[in-house]
Amino acid sequence: QVQLVESGGGLVQAGGSLRLSCAASGRTFSTNAMGWFRQAPGKDREFVAAISWGGGITYYADSVKGRFTISRDKPRNTMYLQIDNLKPEDTAAYYCAAASALNIVTMSKPGAYQYWGQGTQVTVSP
């Protein structure tokens, strides 16, 4: 099992920044990729970004390119999501997830991830 704990969410004004963290523990050696998703009330869970744990290759949803930056700190088993120039439409619960294997097709699919965190809320005021 892999346990994931997100932190860093909060209430910010539009134009502000946040850095979300996802700390992994347990059988982390089985994890080869991790990702961030978000879910707004009444909407489906949406892919945000993913990163390969070994090589640090990153992937982004088109809607967040240029404002979101995913990264990882391997020694600390922690993944980050830097969000800049926040917009009200970024308001959502943000979830981190871990997978044993991903490819260019599956990385945006929630079903491809085996482990999930409990989520951290990001609220952006106009």
Side-chain angles (χ1 to χ4, degrees):
Q1 291 286 342
V2 175
Q3 292 78 43
L4 304 173
V5 179
E6 302 98 332
S7 60
L11 173 63
V12 296
Q13 288 187 327
S17 297
L18 279 175
R19 188 176 79 156
L20 308 183
S21 299
C22 174
S25 61
R27 297 171 63 88
T28 56
F29 57 85
S30 66
T31 297
N32 289 313
M34 295 183 70
W36 287 98
F37 289 76
R38 65 184 180 184
Q39 188 166 19
K43 294 188 177 182
D44 293 334
R45 192 161 293 191
E46 175 190 21
F47 170 74
V48 172
I51 188 167
S52 65
W53 199 250
I57 301 172
T58 59
Y59 307 89
Y60 296 93
D62 288 342
S63 59
V64 304
K65 283 180 180 177
R67 295 192 300 121
F68 288 35
T69 304
I70 190 172
S71 62
R72 90 273 189 258
D73 183 333
K74 291 174 66 177
R76 297 187 177 187
N77 285 328
T78 301
M79 177 178 65
Y80 303 98
L81 185 69
Q82 176 71 35
I83 310 175
D84 297 317
N85 190 21
L86 277 155
K87 302 178 180 181
E89 52 263 42
D90 294 322
T91 295
Y94 283 71
Y95 298 89
C96 70
S100 57
L102 294 175
N103 58 44
I104 194 71
V105 174
T106 63
M107 63 177 179
S108 64
K109 311 297 184 185
Y113 294 78
Q114 289 79 45
Y115 304 102
W116 291 84
Q118 81 290 351
T120 186
Q121 179 68 35
V122 172
T123 303
V124 184
S125 62

